[in-house]
């Protein structure tokens, strides 16, 4: 068992109220990992092969021991990235975190000013976040900006890419909105569909080639495999980005919530049961015992709709988070799938990413843009 990457939600408290928050974070949340529990977690993950750790939330900069957490993890030779909304990340904090060993930061920017402020729930969110990006670049951080794309903001994606490029950031990534957490049931209709997504990516490829974005790398969530595309080696994608079918047998990624619960995927944290809780057991024991959890074992079974599909060996049932969000029943087909012999596309794991320029694919952003 090799856990290559871990997302650690060190707090679920947040200073914003984003309409798409996967963890329903907010100002009233009291859930938080203690420094001692965090250290034990790091010590437990390293022997399992940990390479990359993302400190996130909620808003991690709210946590009173964030600087000490950075120092500890970096001191253990773990690659640490801070994931922040950038709203209250001052230059003074950024300097302290840099001195603690932090080199990489990801900041969320979901649109141009009006759109970003609407999504984030603050009239000054865009201004403050953009200022944080500029300061982080000035201080020498590797800066990645990320956007979550839905029907609320997809029409301004090109302009957002050009704006972010003007800030000289290192990487821009954009993810497809998946219905998880806050307002999930009420936002099923804002998910960008397969054909619309394909047309958007095709249009962007033409437009970006004609634009000057400097050396900025771009990664995006592929979303769908189209039958008329180049043949995709599905067998090589097992583990993160490979789909829910492999969650039971392959564990190369975990997310730990601020209450200590451990999950194999961020999109399942509001739908499924956790592997266990690090306040009660070691991460090693939790992951060892995960094989006894029937819910995840069941992800290997075909739904009745999938039984007659010729693409099962490639699709493997798609994303169970989407299945449950639409049906509250694990034993259905992925709602993004179009049944029948005239199938034009296959839904992929939402975490499957592609480099916009090179075509390199992986479940890990770091491997896509390295």
């Amino acid at each position: 068992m090799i856990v290559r990457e871990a997302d650690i939600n060190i707090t679920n408290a947040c200073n914003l109220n984003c309409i798409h928050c996967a963890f329903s974070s907010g100002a009233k949340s009291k859930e938080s990992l203690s420094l001692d529990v965090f250290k034990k977690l790091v010590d437990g993950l390293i022997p399992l092969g940990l390479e990359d750790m993302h400190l996130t939330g909620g808003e991690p900069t709210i946590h009173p021991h964030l600087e000490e957490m950075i120092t500890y993890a970096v001191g253990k030779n773990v690659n640490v990235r801070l994931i922040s909304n950038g709203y209250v990340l001052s230059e003074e904090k950024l300097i302290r975190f840099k001195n603690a060993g932090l080199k990489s930061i990801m900041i969320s920017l979901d649109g141009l000013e009006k759109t970003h402020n609407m999504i984030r729930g603050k009239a000054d969110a865009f201004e403050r976040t953009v200022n944080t990006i500029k300061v982080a670049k000035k201080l020498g951080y590797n800066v990645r900006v990320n956007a979550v794309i839905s029907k609320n903001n997809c029409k301004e994606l090109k302009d957002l890419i050009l704006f972010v490029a003007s800030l000289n950031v290192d990487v821009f990534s954009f993810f497809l909105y998946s219905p998880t957490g806050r307002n999930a049931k009420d936002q099923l209709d804002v998910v960008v569909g397969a054909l619309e997504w394909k047309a958007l990516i095709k249009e962007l490829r033409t437009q970006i080639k004609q634009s000057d974005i400097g050396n900025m790398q771009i990664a995006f969530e592929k979303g769908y495999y189209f039958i008329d595309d180049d043949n995709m080696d599905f067998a090589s994608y097992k583990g993160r980005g490979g789909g829910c079918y492999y969650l039971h047998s392959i564990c190369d990624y975990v997310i730990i919530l601020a209450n200590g619960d451990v999950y194999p995927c961020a999109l399942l944290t509001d739908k499924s049961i956790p592997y266990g809780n690090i306040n009660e057991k070691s991460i090693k024991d939790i992951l060892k015992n995960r094989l006894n959890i029937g819910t995840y074992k069941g992800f290997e079974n075909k739904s009745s709709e999938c039984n007659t599909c010729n693409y099962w060996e490639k699709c493997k049932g798609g994303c169970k988070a989407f299945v449950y969000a639409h049906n509250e029943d694990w034993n259905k087909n992925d709602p993004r799938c179009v049944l029948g012999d005239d199938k034009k596309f296959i839904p992929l794991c939402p975490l499957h990413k592609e480099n916009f320029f090179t075509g390199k694919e992986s479940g890990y952003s770091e491997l896509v843009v390295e």
Side-chain angles (χ1 to χ4, degrees):
M1 176 172 55
I2 298 177
V3 180
R4 186 191 182 283
E5 182 179 291
D7 285 348
I8 316 296
N9 291 22
I10 59 174
T11 179
N12 203 41
C14 189
N15 44 24
L16 297 182
N17 190 40
C18 307
I19 61 175
H20 59 245
C21 181
F23 309 107
S24 300
S25 305
K28 295 182 179 180
S29 177
K30 304 299 182 184
E31 294 174 348
S32 181
L33 291 182
S34 72
L35 181 59
D36 286 343
V37 168
F38 174 82
K39 288 180 176 180
K40 290 177 183 177
L41 174 61
V42 173
D43 290 344
L45 284 169
I46 288 174
L48 301 180
L50 182 68
E51 295 181 24
D52 297 310
M53 174 178 287
H54 304 152
L55 300 181
T56 182
E59 173 50 40
T61 60
I62 291 175
H63 197 292
H65 298 295
L66 173 57
E67 186 176 349
E68 295 160 277
M69 291 175 170
I70 293 170
T71 299
Y72 190 80
V74 171
K76 298 287 184 174
N77 295 316
V78 176
N79 298 319
V80 177
R81 186 205 295 157
L82 178 66
I83 299 178
S84 171
N85 59 38
Y87 189 68
V88 293
L89 192 44
S90 66
E91 182 168 359
E92 184 266 335
K93 280 186 176 180
L94 282 168
I95 291 172
R96 290 207 328 260
F97 297 158
K98 197 166 190 292
N99 290 337
L102 185 68
K103 298 178 181 178
S104 179
I105 184 169
M106 185 171 92
I107 299 174
S108 300
L109 195 67
D110 290 315
L112 300 178
E113 186 164 11
K114 182 179 179 180
T115 301
H116 181 75
N117 291 344
M118 179 274 294
I119 290 173
R120 296 281 159 173
K122 292 276 190 178
D124 59 348
F126 182 85
E127 179 183 0
R128 294 177 69 157
T129 297
V130 169
N131 182 66
T132 297
I133 294 169
K134 291 177 178 177
V135 173
K137 279 301 300 179
K138 182 185 74 172
L139 295 175
Y141 278 96
N142 178 284
V143 178
R144 173 177 157 195
V145 172
N146 186 74
V148 176
I149 302 301
S150 69
K151 292 182 179 180
N152 293 322
N153 58 357
C154 63
K155 295 188 184 304
E156 62 182 52
L157 180 54
K158 183 202 76 170
D159 292 333
L160 178 61
I161 291 174
L162 296 180
F163 175 74
V164 171
S166 74
L167 302 176
N168 297 314
V169 306
D170 300 279
V171 178
F172 176 71
S173 56
F174 55 99
F175 296 167
L176 268 166
Y177 168 70
S178 297
T180 300
R182 180 175 291 129
N183 302 321
K185 271 294 190 183
D186 298 325
Q187 297 191 114
L188 299 179
D189 60 345
V190 304
V191 177
V192 180
L195 299 181
E196 186 179 0
W197 189 244
K198 182 180 183 180
L200 177 61
I201 299 300
K202 182 179 179 180
E203 182 180 11
L204 282 174
R205 290 193 192 282
T206 300
Q207 293 171 332
I208 298 304
K209 283 181 180 178
Q210 299 170 352
S211 306
D212 181 11
I213 63 167
N215 296 319
M216 185 177 76
Q217 291 288 305
I218 300 177
F220 68 100
E221 287 183 343
K222 192 176 178 75
Y224 308 88
Y225 166 75
F226 292 89
I227 307 302
D228 59 357
D229 283 351
D230 292 337
N231 189 40
M232 180 175 169
D233 183 12
F234 282 84
S236 66
Y237 298 106
K238 298 177 181 178
R240 183 163 169 80
C244 294
Y245 178 87
Y246 297 104
L247 287 182
H248 188 67
S249 58
I250 299 175
C251 182
D252 56 1
Y253 161 86
V254 290
I255 179 168
I256 295 92
L257 301 188
N259 65 359
D261 282 345
V262 180
Y263 287 88
C265 177
L267 302 183
L268 292 171
T269 55
D270 66 334
K271 303 173 181 71
S272 189
I273 60 175
Y275 280 163
N277 190 289
I278 60 171
N279 293 305
E280 301 168 1
K281 294 182 179 179
S282 71
I283 188 66
K284 180 180 179 180
D285 287 342
I286 289 171
L287 296 183
K288 181 180 179 181
N289 293 331
R290 79 187 193 283
L291 299 174
N292 298 319
I293 301 177
T295 298
Y296 298 109
K297 177 66 176 175
F299 288 178
E300 298 176 0
N301 300 329
K302 289 184 181 181
S303 70
S304 57
E305 293 96 334
C306 294
N307 273 328
T308 58
C309 180
N310 294 326
Y311 291 93
W312 165 258
E313 288 304 320
K314 292 185 175 181
C315 173
K316 298 292 189 182
C319 174
K320 290 298 184 179
F322 265 92
V323 171
Y324 200 87
H326 282 258
N327 303 292
E328 296 189 358
D329 181 351
W330 300 115
N331 300 310
K332 298 288 184 180
N333 71 305
D334 190 320
R336 299 173 298 161
C337 177
V338 178
L339 299 172
D341 295 333
D342 61 342
K343 190 186 297 292
K344 293 181 174 60
F345 59 85
I346 296 171
L348 295 176
C349 170
L351 305 180
H352 189 104
K353 301 169 182 70
E354 179 178 331
N355 186 300
F356 193 79
F357 300 110
T358 68
K360 185 174 182 180
E361 299 179 26
S362 175
Y364 297 99
S365 297
E366 284 87 351
L367 296 182
V368 167
V369 297
E370 64 181 359

Short mmCIF file of all heavy atoms in Angstrom, two decimals, residues 181-218:
data_model
loop_
_atom_site.label_atom_id
_atom_site.label_comp_id
_atom_site.label_asym_id
_atom_site.label_seq_id
_atom_site.Cartn_x
_atom_site.Cartn_y
_atom_site.Cartn_z
N GLY A 181 -21.36 18.35 -0.94
CA GLY A 181 -21.35 19.33 0.12
C GLY A 181 -22.49 20.33 0.04
O GLY A 181 -23.64 19.97 -0.23
N ARG A 182 -22.16 21.61 0.24
CA ARG A 182 -23.17 22.66 0.32
C ARG A 182 -23.99 22.77 -0.97
O ARG A 182 -23.44 22.84 -2.06
CB ARG A 182 -22.50 24.01 0.63
CG ARG A 182 -23.48 25.18 0.74
CD ARG A 182 -22.78 26.46 1.16
NE ARG A 182 -22.32 26.36 2.53
CZ ARG A 182 -21.06 26.63 2.93
NH1 ARG A 182 -20.17 27.00 2.05
NH2 ARG A 182 -20.74 26.52 4.20
N ASN A 183 -25.30 22.79 -0.81
CA ASN A 183 -26.24 23.00 -1.92
C ASN A 183 -26.16 21.92 -3.01
O ASN A 183 -26.64 22.14 -4.14
CB ASN A 183 -26.00 24.37 -2.58
CG ASN A 183 -26.12 25.52 -1.61
OD1 ASN A 183 -26.99 25.51 -0.74
ND2 ASN A 183 -25.25 26.50 -1.74
N ALA A 184 -25.57 20.77 -2.72
CA ALA A 184 -25.35 19.76 -3.76
C ALA A 184 -26.65 19.36 -4.44
O ALA A 184 -26.73 19.31 -5.68
CB ALA A 184 -24.67 18.54 -3.16
N LYS A 185 -27.69 19.08 -3.68
CA LYS A 185 -28.95 18.65 -4.25
C LYS A 185 -29.60 19.73 -5.11
O LYS A 185 -30.31 19.45 -6.07
CB LYS A 185 -29.92 18.23 -3.14
CG LYS A 185 -29.82 16.78 -2.73
CD LYS A 185 -30.27 15.88 -3.88
CE LYS A 185 -30.41 14.43 -3.45
NZ LYS A 185 -30.77 13.56 -4.60
N ASP A 186 -29.35 20.99 -4.75
CA ASP A 186 -29.96 22.10 -5.47
C ASP A 186 -29.15 22.55 -6.67
O ASP A 186 -29.57 23.46 -7.40
CB ASP A 186 -30.16 23.29 -4.52
CG ASP A 186 -31.08 22.96 -3.36
OD1 ASP A 186 -32.04 22.18 -3.58
OD2 ASP A 186 -30.85 23.46 -2.24
N GLN A 187 -27.97 21.94 -6.88
CA GLN A 187 -27.10 22.39 -7.95
C GLN A 187 -26.76 21.30 -8.97
O GLN A 187 -25.80 21.42 -9.71
CB GLN A 187 -25.80 22.98 -7.37
CG GLN A 187 -26.01 24.20 -6.52
CD GLN A 187 -24.72 24.91 -6.17
OE1 GLN A 187 -24.47 26.03 -6.58
NE2 GLN A 187 -23.89 24.26 -5.39
N LEU A 188 -27.58 20.26 -9.02
CA LEU A 188 -27.34 19.20 -9.99
C LEU A 188 -27.40 19.73 -11.42
O LEU A 188 -26.71 19.23 -12.31
CB LEU A 188 -28.36 18.07 -9.80
CG LEU A 188 -28.35 17.36 -8.44
CD1 LEU A 188 -29.44 16.29 -8.41
CD2 LEU A 188 -26.99 16.74 -8.14
N ASP A 189 -28.21 20.78 -11.62
CA ASP A 189 -28.40 21.29 -12.98
C ASP A 189 -27.32 22.27 -13.42
O ASP A 189 -27.36 22.74 -14.56
CB ASP A 189 -29.78 21.95 -13.11
CG ASP A 189 -29.97 23.12 -12.16
OD1 ASP A 189 -29.17 23.26 -11.21
OD2 ASP A 189 -30.92 23.90 -12.36
N VAL A 190 -26.35 22.58 -12.55
CA VAL A 190 -25.29 23.50 -12.97
C VAL A 190 -24.03 22.75 -13.40
O VAL A 190 -23.04 23.36 -13.79
CB VAL A 190 -24.93 24.54 -11.87
CG1 VAL A 190 -26.16 25.31 -11.45
CG2 VAL A 190 -24.23 23.88 -10.68
N VAL A 191 -24.05 21.42 -13.33
CA VAL A 191 -22.93 20.62 -13.81
C VAL A 191 -22.85 20.76 -15.34
O VAL A 191 -23.85 20.60 -16.04
CB VAL A 191 -23.10 19.13 -13.43
CG1 VAL A 191 -21.95 18.29 -14.01
CG2 VAL A 191 -23.16 18.98 -11.91
N VAL A 192 -21.65 21.04 -15.84
CA VAL A 192 -21.47 21.18 -17.28
C VAL A 192 -21.51 19.80 -17.92
O VAL A 192 -20.75 18.91 -17.55
CB VAL A 192 -20.13 21.88 -17.60
CG1 VAL A 192 -19.97 22.03 -19.12
CG2 VAL A 192 -20.07 23.25 -16.93
N GLY A 193 -22.39 19.62 -18.91
CA GLY A 193 -22.56 18.33 -19.56
C GLY A 193 -21.41 17.99 -20.50
O GLY A 193 -20.58 18.84 -20.85
N ALA A 194 -21.38 16.73 -20.93
CA ALA A 194 -20.26 16.21 -21.70
C ALA A 194 -20.04 16.96 -23.01
O ALA A 194 -18.91 17.38 -23.31
CB ALA A 194 -20.47 14.72 -21.98
N LEU A 195 -21.06 17.12 -23.79
CA LEU A 195 -20.89 17.75 -25.11
C LEU A 195 -20.55 19.23 -24.97
O LEU A 195 -19.75 19.77 -25.75
CB LEU A 195 -22.16 17.55 -25.95
CG LEU A 195 -22.52 16.09 -26.24
CD1 LEU A 195 -23.77 16.01 -27.10
CD2 LEU A 195 -21.36 15.36 -26.91
N GLU A 196 -21.14 19.88 -23.98
CA GLU A 196 -20.81 21.29 -23.73
C GLU A 196 -19.36 21.43 -23.27
O GLU A 196 -18.65 22.36 -23.67
CB GLU A 196 -21.76 21.86 -22.67
CG GLU A 196 -21.61 23.35 -22.43
CD GLU A 196 -22.59 23.88 -21.40
OE1 GLU A 196 -23.40 23.10 -20.87
OE2 GLU A 196 -22.52 25.10 -21.11
N TRP A 197 -18.91 20.49 -22.43
CA TRP A 197 -17.53 20.51 -21.94
C TRP A 197 -16.55 20.28 -23.08
O TRP A 197 -15.54 20.98 -23.20
CB TRP A 197 -17.36 19.45 -20.86
CG TRP A 197 -16.06 19.49 -20.12
CD1 TRP A 197 -15.09 18.53 -20.10
CD2 TRP A 197 -15.59 20.53 -19.25
NE1 TRP A 197 -14.05 18.89 -19.30
CE2 TRP A 197 -14.33 20.12 -18.75
CE3 TRP A 197 -16.11 21.75 -18.83
CZ2 TRP A 197 -13.58 20.89 -17.86
CZ3 TRP A 197 -15.37 22.53 -17.94
CH2 TRP A 197 -14.12 22.09 -17.48
N LYS A 198 -16.87 19.33 -23.94
CA LYS A 198 -16.01 19.04 -25.08
C LYS A 198 -15.88 20.27 -25.99
O LYS A 198 -14.77 20.62 -26.44
CB LYS A 198 -16.55 17.86 -25.88
CG LYS A 198 -15.68 17.47 -27.08
CD LYS A 198 -16.26 16.30 -27.85
CE LYS A 198 -15.33 15.88 -28.99
NZ LYS A 198 -15.88 14.74 -29.77
N ALA A 199 -16.99 20.93 -26.27
CA ALA A 199 -16.98 22.12 -27.12
C ALA A 199 -16.19 23.25 -26.48
O ALA A 199 -15.44 23.98 -27.16
CB ALA A 199 -18.41 22.56 -27.41
N LEU A 200 -16.33 23.38 -25.16
CA LEU A 200 -15.61 24.44 -24.44
C LEU A 200 -14.11 24.21 -24.50
O LEU A 200 -13.34 25.15 -24.78
CB LEU A 200 -16.08 24.49 -22.99
CG LEU A 200 -15.38 25.50 -22.07
CD1 LEU A 200 -15.57 26.92 -22.58
CD2 LEU A 200 -15.90 25.37 -20.64
N ILE A 201 -13.67 22.98 -24.25
CA ILE A 201 -12.23 22.68 -24.29
C ILE A 201 -11.68 22.89 -25.70
O ILE A 201 -10.59 23.46 -25.88
CB ILE A 201 -11.96 21.23 -23.82
CG1 ILE A 201 -12.44 21.03 -22.38
CG2 ILE A 201 -10.48 20.89 -23.95
CD1 ILE A 201 -11.77 21.92 -21.36
N LYS A 202 -12.42 22.47 -26.70
CA LYS A 202 -11.98 22.64 -28.09
C LYS A 202 -11.83 24.12 -28.43
O LYS A 202 -10.84 24.55 -29.03
CB LYS A 202 -12.98 21.98 -29.03
CG LYS A 202 -12.58 22.07 -30.50
CD LYS A 202 -13.60 21.36 -31.39
CE LYS A 202 -13.19 21.47 -32.86
NZ LYS A 202 -14.18 20.77 -33.74
N GLU A 203 -12.81 24.92 -28.02
CA GLU A 203 -12.75 26.36 -28.28
C GLU A 203 -11.59 27.01 -27.54
O GLU A 203 -10.88 27.85 -28.09
CB GLU A 203 -14.07 27.00 -27.86
CG GLU A 203 -14.14 28.50 -28.13
CD GLU A 203 -15.46 29.11 -27.69
OE1 GLU A 203 -16.24 28.42 -26.97
OE2 GLU A 203 -15.72 30.27 -28.03
N LEU A 204 -11.36 26.58 -26.30
CA LEU A 204 -10.26 27.14 -25.51
C LEU A 204 -8.91 26.82 -26.14
O LEU A 204 -8.01 27.67 -26.15
CB LEU A 204 -10.30 26.59 -24.08
CG LEU A 204 -11.33 27.19 -23.13
CD1 LEU A 204 -11.33 26.43 -21.81
CD2 LEU A 204 -11.04 28.67 -22.88
N ARG A 205 -8.76 25.62 -26.65
CA ARG A 205 -7.49 25.24 -27.27
C ARG A 205 -7.15 26.20 -28.42
O ARG A 205 -6.01 26.62 -28.58
CB ARG A 205 -7.54 23.80 -27.77
CG ARG A 205 -7.58 22.76 -26.66
CD ARG A 205 -7.30 21.38 -27.22
NE ARG A 205 -7.60 20.32 -26.28
CZ ARG A 205 -6.83 19.96 -25.27
NH1 ARG A 205 -5.70 20.60 -25.05
NH2 ARG A 205 -7.17 18.96 -24.45
N THR A 206 -8.15 26.54 -29.20
CA THR A 206 -7.93 27.46 -30.32
C THR A 206 -7.61 28.87 -29.81
O THR A 206 -6.67 29.52 -30.27
CB THR A 206 -9.18 27.51 -31.21
OG1 THR A 206 -9.42 26.20 -31.73
CG2 THR A 206 -8.98 28.48 -32.37
N GLN A 207 -8.38 29.33 -28.84
CA GLN A 207 -8.23 30.69 -28.34
C GLN A 207 -6.92 30.89 -27.59
O GLN A 207 -6.25 31.92 -27.76
CB GLN A 207 -9.42 31.04 -27.44
CG GLN A 207 -10.74 31.12 -28.18
CD GLN A 207 -11.92 31.25 -27.24
OE1 GLN A 207 -11.88 30.79 -26.09
NE2 GLN A 207 -12.99 31.86 -27.72
N ILE A 208 -6.54 29.92 -26.77
CA ILE A 208 -5.34 30.07 -25.95
C ILE A 208 -4.08 30.00 -26.81
O ILE A 208 -3.08 30.68 -26.55
CB ILE A 208 -5.30 29.01 -24.83
CG1 ILE A 208 -6.51 29.19 -23.90
CG2 ILE A 208 -4.00 29.10 -24.04
CD1 ILE A 208 -6.64 30.57 -23.29
N LYS A 209 -4.12 29.19 -27.87
CA LYS A 209 -2.98 29.12 -28.77
C LYS A 209 -2.70 30.47 -29.42
O LYS A 209 -1.57 30.77 -29.80
CB LYS A 209 -3.22 28.07 -29.85
CG LYS A 209 -3.03 26.64 -29.37
CD LYS A 209 -3.27 25.65 -30.51
CE LYS A 209 -3.08 24.21 -30.03
NZ LYS A 209 -3.35 23.23 -31.13
N GLN A 210 -3.72 31.28 -29.55
CA GLN A 210 -3.59 32.59 -30.19
C GLN A 210 -3.30 33.69 -29.17
O GLN A 210 -3.24 34.87 -29.52
CB GLN A 210 -4.88 32.92 -30.95
CG GLN A 210 -5.19 31.94 -32.06
CD GLN A 210 -6.58 32.14 -32.64
OE1 GLN A 210 -7.38 32.92 -32.13
NE2 GLN A 210 -6.87 31.43 -33.73
N SER A 211 -3.10 33.32 -27.92
CA SER A 211 -2.91 34.30 -26.85
C SER A 211 -1.54 34.13 -26.22
O SER A 211 -0.90 33.07 -26.32
CB SER A 211 -3.99 34.12 -25.78
OG SER A 211 -5.28 34.17 -26.35
N ASP A 212 -1.10 35.15 -25.55
CA ASP A 212 0.17 35.11 -24.84
C ASP A 212 -0.09 34.86 -23.36
O ASP A 212 -0.58 35.75 -22.64
CB ASP A 212 0.92 36.44 -25.02
CG ASP A 212 2.27 36.45 -24.31
OD1 ASP A 212 2.71 35.37 -23.88
OD2 ASP A 212 2.88 37.53 -24.20
N ILE A 213 0.21 33.66 -22.92
CA ILE A 213 0.04 33.34 -21.50
C ILE A 213 1.38 33.04 -20.84
O ILE A 213 1.43 32.48 -19.74
CB ILE A 213 -0.94 32.17 -21.28
CG1 ILE A 213 -0.39 30.88 -21.91
CG2 ILE A 213 -2.32 32.50 -21.84
CD1 ILE A 213 -1.16 29.64 -21.47
N GLY A 214 2.47 33.41 -21.50
CA GLY A 214 3.79 33.20 -20.93
C GLY A 214 4.10 31.73 -20.75
O GLY A 214 3.78 30.90 -21.61
N ASN A 215 4.69 31.40 -19.63
CA ASN A 215 5.07 30.01 -19.33
C ASN A 215 4.07 29.29 -18.44
O ASN A 215 4.37 28.22 -17.90
CB ASN A 215 6.46 29.98 -18.67
CG ASN A 215 7.54 30.48 -19.59
OD1 ASN A 215 7.55 30.17 -20.79
ND2 ASN A 215 8.47 31.27 -19.06
N MET A 216 2.90 29.88 -18.27
CA MET A 216 1.90 29.29 -17.37
C MET A 216 1.43 27.93 -17.89
O MET A 216 1.04 27.80 -19.04
CB MET A 216 0.71 30.23 -17.22
CG MET A 216 -0.32 29.73 -16.20
SD MET A 216 -1.68 30.92 -15.97
CE MET A 216 -2.64 30.62 -17.48
N GLN A 217 1.48 26.93 -17.02
CA GLN A 217 0.94 25.61 -17.34
C GLN A 217 -0.56 25.60 -17.03
O GLN A 217 -1.03 26.33 -16.15
CB GLN A 217 1.64 24.53 -16.52
CG GLN A 217 3.09 24.30 -16.92
CD GLN A 217 3.17 23.58 -18.26
OE1 GLN A 217 2.59 22.52 -18.45
NE2 GLN A 217 3.89 24.18 -19.20
N ILE A 218 -1.30 24.75 -17.74
CA ILE A 218 -2.74 24.62 -17.50
C ILE A 218 -3.08 23.15 -17.35
O ILE A 218 -2.69 22.32 -18.17
CB ILE A 218 -3.57 25.23 -18.64
CG1 ILE A 218 -3.25 26.72 -18.81
CG2 ILE A 218 -5.06 25.04 -18.38
CD1 ILE A 218 -3.99 27.38 -19.97
#
